[in-house]
Amino acid sequence: MPLFKLFKSYESEATKFIAELKEKNPKLEEQQRAGRALLWDKAPLDLDKTARDKESRVQQQPYVYQNH
């Protein structure tokens, strides 16, 4: 008998825990996607605006408290 057939029905404790958690809270994946969108998914950068912002920035002196 091939080895993979013996372990086909194996399910780890972590997999069981996640399945149970999803069963208890059906909206869990939707909440995860909303959280990801809030923290990580950003609008694309406008390269022209970024370049203009960089060019308009005033250079800081090497020593901030020097008045010259």
Side-chain angles (χ1 to χ4, degrees), residues 8-31:
K8 195 170 189 172
S9 63
Y10 173 75
E11 193 172 308
S12 71
E13 290 182 25
T15 304
K16 289 178 185 177
F17 172 75
I18 292 172
E20 183 180 318
L21 189 63
K22 287 181 181 180
E23 187 178 304
K24 287 181 183 177
N25 187 0
K27 293 186 178 184
L28 181 66
E29 287 187 45
E30 181 182 324
Q31 292 170 343

Side-chain angles (χ1 to χ4, degrees), residues 27-64:
K27 293 186 178 184
L28 181 66
E29 287 187 45
E30 181 182 324
Q31 292 170 343
Q32 287 177 324
R33 286 190 187 99
R36 180 184 187 278
L38 179 67
L39 295 175
W40 296 104
D41 295 343
K42 304 292 180 192
L45 293 175
D46 181 8
L47 298 179
D48 292 332
K49 183 182 180 308
T50 305
R52 282 185 273 126
D53 290 346
K54 188 175 181 180
E55 289 173 4
S56 66
R57 187 170 291 147
V58 177
Q59 292 293 323
Q60 183 176 344
Q61 296 176 353
Y63 183 68
V64 182

